[in-house]
Amino acid sequence: MSKHSFPVLKNDCLLRAARGLRTERVPVWIMRQAGRYLPEFRKVREEHSFFEICRTPALACEITLQPIRRYALDAAIIFSDILVIPQALGMQVEMKPSIGPHFPEPLSEPKDVEKLKKGCIDEELSYVYEAITLTRHELDGLVPLIGFTGAPWTLMCYMIEGGSSKTLSKAKSWLYKWPEESHNLLHLLKDAVISHLVNQIKAGAQLVQIFESNAEYLTPDLLKKFSLPYLKEIQRSVSSTITNLGLEMVPMILYAKGSAMVLDFIADMGYDVLGVDWTVAPSVARSKFSEGICLQGNLDPPALKADHETIKRLVIDMLQGFGTQSYIANLGHGIYPDIPPDNVAFFVNTIHEESEKMIKAL
Ligand code: CP3
């Protein structure tokens, strides 16, 4: 429960799955469910820049609701971006059409870290928290609302590379050349991430997801040094802060891309839900974890371009592999802009129908 008073939740299926409680069907949401594959999103984007939408609570709320109006999704995710944290720390970030994020002045050496602002998250990102509170009211309890953040390592990559990169050569070389200074930067980012998550929960987020999308670029050794300790501390610090405030702790989802390598390492970090990408077969992922841990994933996004018969077969394989309890259906990463919207409806409905049949037959 947050500090606000909100409408009663009518569909708590996804929250129950996240907590390892029984569900009568498998809940489903889609990473990047509000986005360019939806014509109604592209229409709003014709009139407003990406970060203008993020910074205007009424627009962020409207875009968050677009996929909820179209599909029987079991959760909404607040419209925002992981790069609002670097912006809050004082960096300039632009979103370039068909290229993606661009930082005109990325961090090029450790002394650049000194320029970053500290302790400014509450104020700088107040628009995110207003958007969350507004969206909770507008949802009227239809489905729970997910808040999110990037993890320190993934944020560090964008701040050094200045945008997306195929190799992360610059960001990774910091870890080898300047390990101590890299830790200083990761430490600063970790504090920002903790504040951002706590604030989102206080504003009304009913689950939170952390995106460590660049975990897959690390060696196991670098992962253990520069990613996992921060992820662990974020989980511990957010849950103790929320509990000390007298609020109810919400489930935390960790999505670390590169499941074939990272899944074993993230098992006992305290997260309620672990995201899985397409590099691990559902049955293999399930066999690694006890019943208590909820798994989320992992349809390969371009599979949504296949015909309905193929999508249905893949959905059934996924449900059989993950099982129908302690499981949240999703893609293995964000949806692509060229996915036909009708196939998303088919995917969502097939998850519900097939899982309901399987649970009834048990
Ligand atoms: O899931 C949702 O519907 C909520 C919104 C959301 C966005 N970005 C909106 C967005 C979420 C959860 C994100 C997370 C995000 N942002 C991640 C982690 C997830 C992942 O994909 O690994 C990352 C790495 C970013 C940074 C970012 N933002 C990139 C690399 C890009 C360009 C690539 C792309 O997909 O367009 C963005 C832009 C972005 N973020 C768009 C949307 C809808 C498209 C921008 C546009 O409209 O021009």
Side-chain angles (χ1 to χ4, degrees):
M1 208 201 304
S2 82
K3 62 178 184 168
H4 301 274
S5 162
F6 291 119
V8 176
L9 186 59
K10 295 160 196 152
N11 171 1
D12 69 346
C13 186
L14 191 129
L15 273 177
R16 274 185 280 135
R19 295 198 165 108
L21 302 173
R22 264 206 98 65
T23 60
E24 55 293 340
R25 58 179 164 78
V26 165
V28 53
W29 71 283
I30 292 175
M31 287 188 271
R32 300 281 192 105
Q33 64 192 24
R36 283 167 301 174
Y37 73 104
L38 288 178
E40 56 269 38
F41 173 82
R42 294 198 299 269
K43 194 146 180 281
V44 179
R45 279 287 276 118
E46 280 169 21
E47 311 268 318
H48 305 278
S49 78
F50 178 76
F51 286 114
E52 183 189 345
I53 299 173
C54 293
R55 290 203 184 99
T56 312
L59 289 175
C61 171
E62 165 59 24
I63 302 247
T64 302
L65 297 178
Q66 284 179 348
I68 305 303
R69 293 192 189 111
R70 245 184 208 260
Y71 309 118
L73 292 159
D74 293 289
I77 177 162
I78 193 65
F79 189 80
S80 183
D81 200 86
I82 65 166
L83 302 177
V84 299
I85 288 189
Q87 285 179 331
L89 300 176
M91 295 187 80
Q92 207 187 321
V93 189
E94 298 155 6
M95 197 57 77
K96 298 213 163 190
S98 63
I99 297 175
H102 173 68
F103 292 61
E105 293 174 66
L107 305 177
S108 60
E109 50 184 346
K111 75 168 174 33
D112 294 341
V113 175
E114 290 161 25
K115 288 188 236 160
L116 298 174
K117 291 194 275 175
K118 285 182 195 150
C120 49
I121 293 297
D122 301 7
E123 212 172 293
E124 290 288 332
L125 297 185
S126 59
Y127 61 86
V128 178
Y129 317 131
E130 280 168 40
I132 287 177
T133 305
L134 174 65
T135 307
R136 273 294 300 274
H137 286 293
E138 292 295 314
L139 274 169
D140 197 24
L142 198 61
V143 288
L145 181 62
I146 304 172
F148 72 92
T149 179
W153 160 244
T154 295
L155 293 175
M156 172 177 168
C157 293
Y158 282 96
M159 290 160 75
I160 292 172
E161 299 288 340
S164 302
S165 154
K166 282 214 160 67
T167 58
L168 297 184
S169 157
K170 290 181 193 148
K172 285 181 74 179
S173 61
W174 272 53
L175 307 182
Y176 291 107
K177 285 199 303 196
W178 302 308
E180 223 170 281
E181 291 83 352
S182 296
H183 277 301
N184 291 342
L185 173 56
L186 290 164
H187 185 84
L188 184 154
L189 287 167
K190 179 234 357 161
D191 287 343
V193 164
I194 291 169
S195 302
H196 193 37
L197 288 175
V198 166
N199 290 342
Q200 290 184 69
I201 297 169
K202 279 158 73 178
Q206 289 152 296
L207 298 98
V208 287
Q209 173 155 322
I210 304 197
F211 287 94
E212 185 67 294
S213 304
N214 289 342
E216 63 181 338
Y217 290 84
L218 296 171
T219 65
D221 190 45
L222 293 177
L223 183 80
K224 278 187 222 161
K225 287 196 181 107
F226 296 102
S227 166
L228 303 183
Y230 297 100
L231 294 171
K232 196 165 185 170
E233 196 180 334
I234 289 164
Q235 193 285 328
R236 252 187 315 179
S237 177
V238 171
S239 52
S240 68
T241 307
I242 291 296
T243 311
N244 290 340
L245 285 169
L247 301 173
E248 193 188 322
M249 187 47 196
V250 307
M252 291 181 80
I253 309 169
L254 174 57
Y255 171 81
K257 191 156 180 290
S259 302
M261 171 177 70
V262 302
L263 213 50
D264 291 328
F265 293 116
I266 60 176
D268 51 3
M269 302 234 295
Y271 286 86
D272 306 271
V273 184
L274 298 180
V276 183
D277 66 21
W278 55 83
T279 58
V280 174
S283 60
V284 174
R286 179 50 81 197
S287 68
K288 288 180 190 283
F289 299 99
S290 59
E291 281 283 294
I293 274 230
C294 178
L295 297 175
Q296 172 176 284
N298 76 342
L299 189 79
D300 195 12
L304 286 182
K305 286 201 200 166
D307 55 56
H308 286 191
E309 203 184 314
T310 306
I311 295 174
K312 184 170 171 180
R313 182 173 51 75
L314 293 169
V315 162
I316 292 171
D317 284 352
M318 216 165 61
L319 293 169
Q320 283 172 342
F322 281 114
T324 49
Q325 299 299 320
S326 295
Y327 172 50
I328 297 170
N330 204 316
L331 305 182
H333 198 189
I335 190 167
Y336 300 156
D338 57 352
I339 300 293
D342 284 352
N343 284 6
V344 174
F346 183 78
F347 172 68
V348 169
N349 295 336
T350 308
I351 291 280
H352 284 161
E353 285 160 20
E354 294 303 319
S355 65
E356 213 173 311
K357 273 194 240 164
M358 285 183 192
I359 293 170
K360 277 198 182 127
L362 279 178

